[in-house]
Amino acid sequence: LRTQVRENTQVRIVIAMADEEEVMLADKARKEGLATFTLIGKADRIQELLGKHGVSSAHFDILNEPDSKRAAAAAIKQIFP
């Protein structure tokens, strides 16, 4: 499946209210070439987590939306503009 994804499609995953676990899993998948990511949540927290693990925020689109309902709505807008 991983090979098929890498060879056939460019997958974009949008994560609302991204925190440490989601950020680290997103980075792992990005490194494996499985997808690109938009991380939505507290931008300063997301950037702090990336920095803590030595990951550049340049690898991700980061949208600042600290409110969980608005973050979910923003994620939907990213998928269905």
Side-chain angles (χ1 to χ4, degrees), residues 29-80:
R30 179 196 62 81
K31 287 177 181 172
E32 292 181 20
L34 298 177
T36 58
F37 290 85
T38 298
L39 305 174
I40 304 172
K42 297 177 182 176
D44 56 344
R45 171 75 175 149
I46 293 168
Q47 291 172 342
E48 173 189 328
L49 291 168
L50 290 169
K52 173 181 167 184
H53 293 281
V55 179
S56 171
S57 61
H59 295 298
F60 302 92
D61 290 330
I62 300 172
L63 300 178
N64 185 47
E65 184 47 74
D67 179 81
S68 62
K69 288 182 182 179
R70 288 189 208 148
I76 291 168
K77 287 181 183 176
Q78 289 287 312
I79 297 167
F80 303 105

